């Protein structure tokens, strides 16, 4: 397989899996996880800033997130951003820190979360299949241009398929692991 096509495919597959993991981190599974707050942006002195750049986020116990702002003046802005993010968690502010108590997840909510997780997994698989198509098209172009032989093309297409199959298997495992995490009480 062409080195460029192989490297490009590997990079894009890693990126797709990385994006899937980031998305799954934002799915609340009943346990306090600082990644839940990764996508929250706070309006800080007129410019949007990620919450993790403005505060220290800790997990004092399995059901609580504690946000300690570096600048105590921005605590109300952080609280507002959390409310706007619609996490389904009410922040409690004592003037110095904000505490988020993660409520236990109901059985119905768990099933909804699993649907979301499966959708993220399916989206990742679609992205991977698109990468397979792009890689195969590139290899066919190279064969037409005479850069690789017909035998090399066939071998390269098989290699691409093996890589895609392995990546899809990895995605399925990541989704299964997240489902198990959600179903834990």
């Amino acid at each position: 397989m062409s080195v460029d096509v192989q490297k490009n495919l590997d990079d894009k597959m890693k990126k797709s899996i990385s994006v899937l993991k980031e998305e799954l981190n934002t799915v609340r599974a009943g346990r306090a996880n600082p990644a839940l707050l990764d996508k929250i942006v706070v309006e800080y002195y007129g410019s949007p800033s990620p919450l993790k750049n403005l505060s220290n986020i800790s997990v004092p116990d399995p059901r609580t997130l504690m946000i300690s702002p570096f600048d105590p003046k921005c605590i109300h802005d952080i609280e507002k951003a959390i409310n706007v993010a619609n996490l389904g968690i009410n922040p409690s502010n004592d003037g110095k820190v904000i505490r988020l108590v993660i409520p236990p997840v109901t059985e119905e909510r768990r099933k909804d979360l699993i649907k979301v997780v499966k959708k993220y997994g399916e989206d990742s698989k679609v992205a991977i299949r698109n990468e397979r198509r792009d890689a195969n098209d590139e290899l066919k172009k190279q064969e037409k241009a005479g850069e690789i032989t017909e035998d090399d093309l066939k071998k390269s297409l098989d290699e691409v398929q093996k890589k895609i199959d392995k990546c899809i298997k990895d995605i399925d495992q990541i989704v299964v692991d997240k489902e198990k995490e959600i179903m834990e009480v």
Side-chain angles (χ1 to χ4, degrees), residues 75-176:
I75 199 161
H76 294 293
D77 296 330
I78 292 173
E79 190 173 18
K80 181 179 173 189
I82 292 169
N83 285 326
V84 168
N86 199 14
L87 297 174
I89 305 169
N90 288 325
S92 77
N93 168 359
D94 70 3
K96 290 186 167 94
V97 296
I98 296 174
R99 284 185 178 73
L100 297 174
V101 178
I102 312 293
V105 182
T106 64
E107 189 66 28
E108 186 178 317
R109 180 69 178 137
R110 287 178 203 270
K111 289 177 182 171
D112 290 343
L113 290 173
I114 285 177
K115 286 179 189 171
V116 169
V117 167
K118 285 182 178 178
K119 183 188 179 314
Y120 284 152
E122 202 49 50
D123 291 347
S124 291
K125 287 183 198 177
V126 168
I128 294 297
R129 289 182 191 118
N130 288 338
E131 297 309 327
R132 173 184 57 198
R133 185 194 62 231
D134 294 346
N136 288 348
D137 289 349
E138 182 61 33
L139 289 167
K140 287 173 186 172
K141 276 185 204 167
Q142 289 179 4
E143 193 251 348
K144 250 185 192 164
E147 296 171 23
I148 60 175
T149 65
E150 194 174 326
D151 289 344
D152 288 341
L153 172 66
K154 192 164 185 58
K155 200 184 312 176
S156 295
L157 293 176
D158 288 344
E159 285 179 41
V160 167
Q161 188 58 48
K162 285 177 186 169
K163 285 176 179 272
I164 296 300
D165 290 344
K166 184 191 178 313
C167 189
I168 286 179
K169 192 174 175 185
D170 292 346
I171 288 171
D172 287 338
Q173 188 58 51
I174 291 167
V175 168
V176 165

